[in-house]
Amino acid sequence: MAGKAVPHFHNEPGVPVITVGVKEFMCIGALPPFDHPHVFLDMGADSELICQYCSTLYRYRAGLKADEAEPQACVWHDAKLAAE
């Protein structure tokens, strides 16, 4: 996966479900500095997954791109990483 960033999502808004367009991603919980360890999650053959740290339910939908989520506010872009 070199040269390709793993999408990161957060649940700062506290929504019950975040719909994403990827099955492999990172959950950070809340926004920094209140984030939990950035954990890699993989849905595998399933279409839903619950983060073991923050209990956010993630649901896969094929129509979304890797950098999209519903709500879109739950996509995290680290400005520091983007600058590198």
Side-chain angles (χ1 to χ4, degrees):
M1 197 169 217
K4 188 174 182 183
V6 175
H8 287 59
F9 301 101
H10 65 84
N11 196 4
E12 185 75 21
V15 297
V17 178
I18 298 174
T19 305
V20 296
V22 291
K23 289 192 166 199
E24 297 178 359
F25 55 92
M26 302 285 279
C27 178
I28 69 167
L31 290 175
F34 304 108
D35 48 336
H36 63 54
H38 298 195
V39 293
F40 181 79
L41 301 175
D42 185 349
M43 290 185 195
D46 295 330
S47 60
E48 293 185 341
L49 178 97
I50 297 174
C51 176
Q52 66 270 28
Y53 278 93
C54 64
S55 300
T56 297
L57 172 63
Y58 288 95
R59 188 171 289 145
Y60 173 74
R61 188 169 71 216
L64 294 174
K65 296 178 183 173
D67 62 346
E68 296 179 331
E70 289 183 2
Q72 185 64 24
C74 293
V75 177
W76 184 59
H77 301 282
D78 185 353
K80 252 192 317 187
L81 289 176
E84 293 178 354

